[in-house]
Amino acid sequence: MINDGPVIAYYDALCPLCRREMRHYSKFGPEKIILSDCNAEDLAEDVDREAALAALHVRLPDNRVVTGVDAFIAIWERLPRWHILATLLRPWIIRKPLDAIYRFLAPYRPRQTCRDGVCPTD
């Protein structure tokens, strides 16, 4: 994967775990990662909301969108110290089983519930 320029992470901001993890990544700056809540009204037209809620989606600088473990790898390879993890997980023999596990577990992540149409944020 090319790591020239920032990626855009389409993540579920109603998931406290997802929100916390993306907030950590965003500390490295907008030149590395730009966050986009897939629950927002202004979601990119070519990103399917239900698919983005089911698994992390990341837009690469060349405009391709990757999902699941490939999306995490795209983020990690841009971040100091995290790029080592990206390198270790990139081989197909490791990445594919991890992606299957991620996609199996992702629907069970916690989601914040809204009251009266208002969702509080952290």
Side-chain angles (χ1 to χ4, degrees):
M1 292 185 192
I2 301 168
N3 60 6
D4 299 346
V7 295
I8 301 171
Y10 301 98
Y11 75 106
D12 182 3
L14 293 179
C15 164
L17 296 173
C18 307
R19 198 170 48 238
R20 184 174 181 191
E21 182 174 9
M22 291 302 138
R23 190 178 311 128
H24 170 73
Y25 298 150
S26 71
K27 290 177 183 176
F28 292 96
E31 65 280 357
K32 303 285 185 189
I33 183 171
I34 299 166
L35 302 181
S36 179
D37 178 5
C38 62
N39 296 291
E41 293 295 321
D42 61 347
L43 184 65
E45 289 182 17
D46 64 337
V47 175
D48 179 79
R49 186 177 315 277
E50 293 305 313
L53 286 169
L56 178 65
H57 282 51
V58 167
R59 183 177 308 280
L60 302 174
D62 66 3
N63 215 30
R64 287 182 299 132
V65 175
V66 293
T67 66
V69 170
D70 288 337
F72 285 100
I73 290 172
I75 293 170
W76 296 337
E77 68 186 1
R78 286 162 173 72
L79 306 179
R81 296 183 310 270
W82 288 89
H83 70 278
I84 296 166
L85 182 60
T87 301
L88 293 172
L89 298 181
R90 194 172 295 118
W92 179 90
I93 193 107
I94 297 169
R95 186 172 32 92
K96 289 301 178 185
L98 284 178
D99 191 62
I101 292 167
Y102 167 74
R103 290 176 190 274
F104 175 77
L105 294 175
Y108 299 104
R109 72 189 184 282
R111 290 206 75 220
Q112 183 177 14
T113 56
C114 302
R115 294 190 183 102
D116 300 329
V118 178
C119 296
T121 60
D122 287 346

